[in-house]
């Protein structure tokens, strides 16, 4: 596993490491718990209808499988063997756009349903259309397990993301679509700037970008 910490933390017990295949199920479980009440996912995966949890779990599982297959950076924040947080990035020019990555799209339809898959694809298109850069990373997931929040761990993940961006020669920076106002401070403090406010269905989020 590649260590992306690079002396970023004062706490030697916390390490940011690129995930391996054995970590994917742990990461999927952490992301499910963290994003279960996310406004965008509640809307996209129709939380008022039966089997919302099943659709969300399936979508996250297929997302991570696609990330692994296409070798996208997935960062795990560990304390010893305990996974505390996850951040997932799409690299510049990655062939992972939902409207072109047909295999991922088909599996999403099977696990999450056609309407949820279409909603997810529309979200990605709206976000991409609002970013005025050609070569950039997209931070699609970032989460600290609810049991370990409010301890400053989010900034460790952010710094690990910064390391990935700096090591990519063509990346102009990193974008993220923030759907919870309480998370805006974390990105503001790391010099992310607001690009746009995007409305999707009944949900409004803030698109932010940090230049390299």
């Amino acid at each position: 596993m590649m260590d992306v910490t690079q002396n970023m933390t004062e706490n030697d017990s916390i390490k940011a490491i690129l995930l391996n295949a054995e970590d994917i199920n742990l990461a999927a479980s952490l992301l499910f718990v963290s994003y279960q009440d996310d406004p965008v996912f509640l809307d996209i995966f129709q939380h008022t209808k039966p089997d919302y949890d099943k659709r969300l779990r399936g979508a996250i599982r297929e997302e991570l499988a696609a990330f692994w297959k296409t070798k996208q950076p997935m960062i795990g924040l560990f304390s010893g063997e305990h996974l505390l947080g996850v951040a997932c990035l799409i690299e510049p020019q990655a062939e992972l756009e939902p409207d072109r990555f047909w295999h991922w799209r088909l599996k999403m339809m099977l696990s999450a349903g056609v309407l949820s898959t279409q909603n997810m694809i529309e979200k990605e298109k709206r976000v991409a259309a609002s970013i005025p850069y050609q070569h950039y990373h997209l931070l699609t997931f970032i989460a600290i397990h609810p049991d370990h929040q409010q301890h400053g761990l989010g900034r460790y993940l952010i710094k690990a993301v910064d390391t990935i961006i700096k090591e990519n020669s063509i990346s102009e920076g990193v974008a993220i679509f923030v759907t919870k106002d309480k998370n805006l401070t974390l990105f503001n403090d790391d010099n992310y700037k607001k690009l746009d406010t995007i409305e999707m269905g009944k949900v409004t989020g803030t698109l932010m970008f940090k230049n390299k």
Side-chain angles (χ1 to χ4, degrees):
M1 293 186 292
M2 176 182 174
D3 192 331
V4 293
T5 306
Q6 292 196 352
N7 299 319
M8 70 180 184
T9 172
E10 306 87 355
N11 187 341
D12 290 337
S13 69
I14 303 295
K15 297 291 183 182
I17 301 171
L18 291 181
L19 299 178
N20 60 32
E22 290 73 26
D23 301 319
I24 300 301
N25 286 337
L26 283 176
S29 295
L30 187 152
L31 290 173
F32 170 76
V33 171
S34 300
Y35 279 89
Q36 196 173 16
D37 64 345
D38 182 274
V40 167
F41 288 99
L42 287 171
D43 188 46
I44 285 176
F45 296 105
Q46 304 166 286
H47 72 102
T48 58
K49 296 185 178 181
D51 296 326
Y52 163 71
D53 286 358
K54 182 179 179 180
R55 289 191 295 276
L56 180 60
R57 283 185 189 276
I60 290 174
R61 184 173 60 250
E62 297 306 333
E63 282 265 272
L64 296 189
F67 272 47
W68 179 256
K69 181 177 180 180
T70 56
K71 299 181 180 180
Q72 304 306 305
M74 293 186 286
I75 304 168
L77 192 67
F78 287 86
S79 176
E81 296 182 354
H82 298 288
L83 181 62
L84 308 181
V86 175
C88 300
L89 290 150
I90 296 177
E91 293 185 319
Q93 298 180 324
E95 297 296 323
L96 200 62
E97 292 84 352
D99 57 335
R100 289 194 291 165
F101 196 36
W102 66 268
H103 182 65
W104 172 89
R105 185 178 184 180
L106 176 61
K107 295 192 76 173
M108 277 280 288
M109 285 182 178
L110 294 175
S111 62
V114 175
L115 181 58
S116 293
T117 302
Q118 291 173 340
N119 289 341
M120 192 74 172
I121 292 169
E122 181 61 27
K123 167 188 173 288
E124 299 301 327
K125 287 182 176 179
R126 291 280 302 279
V127 168
S130 299
I131 300 175
Y133 299 94
Q134 185 175 3
H135 304 297
Y136 60 89
H137 283 77
L138 181 63
L139 184 54
T140 59
F141 289 119
I142 183 167
I144 299 296
H145 192 285
D147 292 345
H148 299 283
Q149 294 178 2
Q150 309 303 321
H151 298 296
L153 297 177
R155 65 189 179 93
Y156 294 151
L157 265 182
I158 290 290
K159 290 184 180 297
V161 169
D162 289 344
T163 298
I164 295 290
I165 307 307
K166 291 175 183 177
E167 292 179 349
N168 188 294
S169 60
I170 70 169
S171 182
E172 299 172 74
V174 56
I176 183 170
F177 183 55
V178 182
T179 55
K180 292 183 179 180
D181 289 343
K182 68 178 184 178
N183 294 334
L184 291 173
T185 300
L186 174 65
F187 297 101
N188 282 326
D189 289 348
D190 198 55
N191 296 316
Y192 282 71
K193 306 299 182 184
K194 178 180 176 180
L195 284 181
D196 200 2
T197 298
I198 299 177
E199 294 184 4
M200 295 186 191
K202 300 177 181 178
V203 180
T204 299
T206 303
L207 181 62
M208 304 185 77
F209 193 89
K210 180 181 180 180
N211 290 97
K212 188 172 178 180

